[in-house]
């Protein structure tokens, strides 16, 4: 597998180690050791995936993640020395796709990179295949329209920019409209991995999805929570 990967980490030894492991698997790597340098790279180069450290000497990784999401949908993996759930939730809420806590095995980083890229490639291939065949796969739920052939989502006629993960979550809920889908089922279907207890990943992405749909937290119109069970679109 190949691809152009951006690594942003002020700990040079960690960035260098990840770089060597990724290069050994055929990836092209560009490294930045601070946020200002990273923002310049993002403006001048299109990457296939970014690995961002949260704690940087100037601009934190959350801000860099937000800047990327203003223009691009490629996968983002966040790195942090912190273990607090709120940091993880914040990263996922602003558009990150995965989150790793230091210290970690660099080979696990490579495995996560490959997983995210496979999902991103499949997402784009599915969209291109739908366009070439003219096959329409669409749900229209009270003004919320999601189309799998074009991978576009609109709310009352205005297009909403969804990441591949957010699109997959919303599509799966629409596919199972009227049924309650547990966090475990959503995670295993969308991420393709075994669900681990106390995993807040799904909750964070649902929160981000509701924010984009301009849903009030207490009385959402589309993605509803069935407490103790899961999520549903009625």
């Amino acid at each position: 597998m190949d691809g152009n990967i951006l690594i942003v980490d002020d700990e040079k030894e960690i960035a260098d180690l990840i770089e060597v492991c990724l290069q050994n698997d055929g990836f092209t790597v560009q490294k930045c050791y601070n946020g200002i340098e990273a923002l310049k790279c993002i403006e001048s180069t299109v990457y296939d995936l970014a690995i961002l450290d949260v704690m940087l000497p100037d601009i934190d990784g959350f801000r860099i993640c937000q800047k990327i999401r203003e223009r691009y949908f490629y996968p983002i993996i966040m790195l942090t020395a912190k273990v607090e759930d709120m940091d993880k939730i914040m990263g996922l809420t602003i558009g990150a796709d995965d989150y790793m806590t230091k210290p970690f095995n660099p080979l696990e980083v490579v495995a996560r990179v490959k997983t995210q890229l496979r999902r991103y490639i499949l997402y784009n291939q599915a969209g291109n295949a739908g366009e070439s065949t003219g096959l329409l796969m669409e749900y229209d739920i009270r003004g919320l329209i999601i189309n799998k052939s074009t991978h576009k989502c609109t709310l009352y006629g205005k297009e909403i920019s969804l990441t591949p993960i957010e699109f997959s979550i919303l599509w799966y809920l629409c596919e199972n409209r009227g049924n309650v889908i547990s966090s475990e089922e959503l995670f295993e279907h969308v991420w393709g991995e075994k669900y681990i207890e106390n995993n807040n990943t799904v909750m964070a992405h649902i929160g981000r999805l509701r924010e984009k749909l301009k849903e009030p937290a207490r009385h959402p119109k589309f993605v509803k929570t069935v407490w103790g069970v899961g999520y549903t679109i009625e």
Side-chain angles (χ1 to χ4, degrees), residues 58-179:
D58 47 5
I59 303 170
D60 66 44
F62 295 136
R63 178 60 181 157
I64 298 171
C65 179
Q66 288 176 314
K67 291 298 291 183
I68 291 174
R69 284 290 173 256
E70 288 177 3
R71 297 176 59 184
Y72 304 111
F73 296 119
Y74 54 75
I76 297 172
I77 299 175
M78 306 293 293
L79 305 178
T80 183
K82 295 183 177 181
V83 296
E84 289 85 351
D85 280 345
M86 285 309 298
D87 288 312
K88 180 176 181 179
I89 291 171
M90 181 176 178
L92 295 172
T93 299
I94 62 176
D97 298 278
D98 203 354
Y99 203 100
M100 297 189 69
T101 303
K102 299 178 181 179
F104 47 74
N105 185 329
L107 295 179
E108 183 183 354
V109 178
V110 176
R112 299 276 189 105
V113 166
K114 290 180 177 179
T115 297
Q116 292 297 331
L117 284 176
R118 277 195 297 269
R119 182 178 299 121
Y120 184 64
I121 291 168
L122 287 172
Y123 170 90
N124 285 312
Q125 286 177 341
N128 292 335
E131 289 177 8
S132 64
T133 60
L135 179 64
L136 181 63
M137 300 177 66
E138 184 175 280
Y139 289 97
D140 185 346
I141 302 175
R142 301 185 301 279
L144 173 65
I145 300 174
I146 181 169
N147 189 304
K148 194 171 186 179
S149 65
T150 61
H151 279 262
K152 291 184 179 180
C153 180
T154 60
L155 180 62
Y156 307 131
K158 183 177 181 180
E159 186 170 346
I160 301 171
S161 296
L162 299 181
T163 66
I165 292 288
E166 292 163 353
F167 188 95
S168 296
I169 290 174
L170 184 58
W171 181 263
Y172 192 67
L173 289 174
C174 288
E175 264 190 325
N176 293 276
R177 185 178 179 182
N179 297 323

